[in-house]
Amino acid sequence: MTSIADHDAYIAAAAEPFRPVLAHLRAVIARTLPEAEEIVAYNMPGFAINGSVVVSYAAFSKQCGLYALPGAIAQHAEEIAAAGFKATKTGVTFPPHKPLPDSLVERLALASRGEGEAASS
């Protein structure tokens, strides 16, 4: 796999069904974390604050993922499960035809930012 230069390149390289979902995730996160810098880390697009990645997203063969710091996922674990999504310690996966609700993306991004700020102070 070749290295991805930026968010636009990542979204353009994704399979067609994933592109609108990825573009929407990017927009919601950017709106929620306006102080964050768009970065690419581990070949995934993400958002960093003060040099630390706080949230990122990706597309795979059959699903998308939103990744946040572990405390953010744990804080919203019940809500994630109640909405019918699968979570790991650091992420939530979902099919492109059933994207995460914007409000959940926003809460995860804000909680991850808060965890990142607490860890750096």
Side-chain angles (χ1 to χ4, degrees):
M1 177 181 229
T2 59
S3 201
I4 302 297
D6 59 28
H7 288 232
D8 289 327
Y10 186 91
I11 293 168
E16 177 56 40
F18 296 99
R19 290 181 199 153
V21 175
L22 297 174
H24 187 73
L25 277 174
R26 177 188 188 183
V28 171
I29 297 165
R31 180 182 70 236
T32 305
L33 303 176
E35 73 281 19
E37 172 189 5
E38 286 192 349
I39 54 97
V40 175
Y42 305 103
N43 225 20
M44 286 192 317
F47 291 81
I49 297 175
N50 297 324
S52 296
V53 179
V54 294
V55 67
S56 57
Y57 59 91
F60 304 101
S61 61
K62 296 181 181 177
Q63 63 188 11
C64 295
L66 177 71
Y67 301 92
L69 296 175
I73 299 296
Q75 182 179 343
H76 296 283
E78 288 182 18
E79 180 182 1
I80 292 165
F85 298 106
K86 294 181 184 177
T88 65
K89 183 178 175 183
T90 59
V92 182
T93 56
F94 55 94
H97 65 274
K98 185 183 178 196
L100 295 174
D102 290 359
S103 59
L104 180 56
V105 173
E106 292 163 356
R107 285 191 295 281
L108 287 167
L110 291 170
S112 192
R113 178 183 69 191
E115 183 179 346
E117 288 171 348
S120 66
S121 41

